[in-house]
Amino acid sequence: MTARASIIASLPIPPDLRDRIEALFDYVAPDRHLRTDEVIALADLHQPDGLLVSLGMPIRAEHIARLPGSVKVIATTSVGHDHIDIAAANARGIVVCNTPDVLTDATADTHMLLLLGAARRAKAHIRNMDGAWKTRNGFFQGLGVDVTGKTMGIVGMGRIGRAVADRARGFRMPILYHNRTRLSADLEGDARYFEALEEMLPHCQVLSLNLPGGQGVLMTRERFALLPKGAIFVNSARGSLVDEDALLEALTSGRVGAAGLDVFQREPGYDTRLNDAENTFLLPHIGSATVETRTAMLELAVGGIEAVLSGNTPHNVVRV
Ligand code: GLV
């Protein structure tokens, strides 16, 4: 790496981690999350070698076109990279890095939290506790449904999908999956592959989305209608994969019995009708939000910048 390469971060970073970055780079550190335009203005001023960004900062082709020629690498502190136009970046010779692997377990754990929270009506019970739990539920009041033994269909059997499957097996859940390509036998294990999503949906007592975003709406009205009545829908992947109006209709009709969602079409400022529905359990996109995981993500992203600026190709380079 050239002596004292420089980077601009679009996100605030805790002091102990900042020290580690400052040991490597000249570093422009904000005290709040910056908007894309603000980062571009800073880049114009400081001519950095790299940008360290986060999910909340869209970097489209028009933004890439406005970056100074000094920028050789953009690292996002997320595994998802649908907020970055990778092709446009690569066309300008900018390498993009992300944070695969290190968030797999935390995200799969959150996925199970969503599943359990939705199945067991946790929202209503939390509200009850918030209201100081004044009256005891009747024996047949506030009931959820079992998770144990239900059949789970997973769309997207990458690292996170497989980690969800591992956890679901602990709940004795038979696993079905739909994926662009069938897994090798050792990765597939006892899971049953469906080449056509439409053929899998009628068997999914639990439907689990674990695929990357950026490929349009997957769960349409027609596809929700194929689920068995009362299915539980869990999405910790991307809100852009779901027609939220169709989901609301399915939650009202009972086609979807409950939904656990960590991701939304609009973030923040999501469609609060989803929270008005009694049969949802919602979290504000916290899939990877643990101290250990976020630290590992930051280190991986920074490591990617360092490697690229040193002329290497780290394993976390995003390829189109
Ligand atoms: C979270 O959604 C991520 O892509 O890291």
Side-chain angles (χ1 to χ4, degrees):
M1 190 165 76
T2 53
R4 300 310 291 177
S6 65
I7 67 170
I8 288 175
S10 76
L11 62 157
I13 289 164
D16 51 330
L17 295 173
R18 207 179 305 154
D19 291 347
R20 287 192 238 170
I21 300 179
E22 276 164 1
L24 295 170
F25 308 111
D26 283 337
Y27 164 53
V28 177
D31 55 10
R32 62 178 170 80
H33 281 265
L34 301 181
R35 294 189 312 276
T36 310
D37 279 343
E38 295 175 303
V39 172
I40 292 172
L42 280 174
D44 215 26
L45 192 66
H46 295 280
Q47 302 284 308
D49 300 286
L51 302 180
L52 179 67
V53 304
S54 66
L55 204 57
M57 192 184 124
I59 310 181
R60 306 290 171 220
E62 71 265 23
H63 303 127
I64 305 258
R66 286 162 54 207
L67 288 174
S70 60
V71 175
K72 299 167 201 66
V73 53
I74 299 174
T76 180
T77 53
S78 59
V79 69
H81 45 76
D82 46 321
H83 56 301
I84 303 179
D85 189 329
I86 307 291
N90 291 170
R92 277 204 66 187
I94 300 172
V95 176
V96 178
C97 299
N98 68 341
T99 62
D101 299 314
V102 293
L103 46 50
T104 299
D105 285 322
T107 308
D109 290 350
T110 302
H111 200 85
M112 298 311 280
L113 172 63
L114 293 169
L115 170 57
L116 292 168
R120 299 300 295 270
R121 308 261 156 170
K123 181 167 67 187
H125 299 306
I126 291 167
R127 281 187 186 146
N128 195 0
M129 297 309 282
D130 286 345
W133 189 19
K134 301 216 176 75
T135 50
R136 188 179 292 281
N137 270 340
F139 191 64
F140 284 105
Q141 246 184 337
L143 304 188
V145 292
D146 281 341
V147 165
T148 299
K150 292 256 154 73
T151 298
M152 176 185 272
I154 297 178
V155 188
M157 204 57 152
R159 287 173 286 246
I160 296 174
R162 296 199 300 275
V164 168
D166 284 346
R167 284 155 178 74
R169 287 184 182 103
F171 287 79
R172 300 196 297 278
M173 302 176 79
I175 308 295
L176 319 176
Y177 76 100
H178 168 73
N179 202 44
R180 253 180 325 185
T181 48
R182 185 169 182 169
L183 300 183
S184 58
D186 58 323
L187 290 181
E188 185 176 87
D190 57 3
R192 181 172 159 213
Y193 179 59
F194 285 78
E195 198 175 335
L197 175 60
E198 276 73 12
E199 280 173 26
M200 180 175 86
L201 292 175
H203 306 286
C204 300
Q205 292 173 299
V206 173
L207 179 68
S208 181
L209 296 197
N210 298 103
L211 69 167
Q215 41 199 315
V217 173
L218 178 96
M219 286 312 293
T220 56
R221 188 164 281 110
E222 294 71 24
R223 285 184 171 152
F224 276 119
L226 291 174
L227 289 169
K229 195 154 175 60
I232 301 172
F233 176 66
V234 186
N235 186 9
S236 62
R238 282 293 179 271
S240 58
L241 296 165
V242 178
D243 176 342
E244 290 179 344
D245 286 328
L247 173 58
L248 280 161
E249 284 168 25
L251 284 161
T252 305
S253 72
R255 175 62 46 193
V256 169
L261 309 173
D262 188 44
V263 290
F264 303 89
Q265 283 273 0
R266 273 198 320 276
E267 296 180 11
Y270 76 107
D271 185 341
T272 54
R273 290 178 303 160
L274 288 162
N275 197 39
D276 298 338
E278 277 305 311
N279 45 353
T280 57
F281 179 70
L282 311 180
L283 296 171
H285 203 149
I286 53 116
S288 63
T290 69
V291 173
E292 298 89 334
T293 297
R294 287 284 165 89
T295 302
M297 290 166 77
L298 183 81
E299 283 174 348
L300 185 55
V302 170
I305 297 180
E306 188 191 8
V308 171
L309 295 182
S310 304
N312 299 316
T313 305
H315 78 93
N316 57 326
V317 166
V318 178
R319 298 170 200 284
V320 270

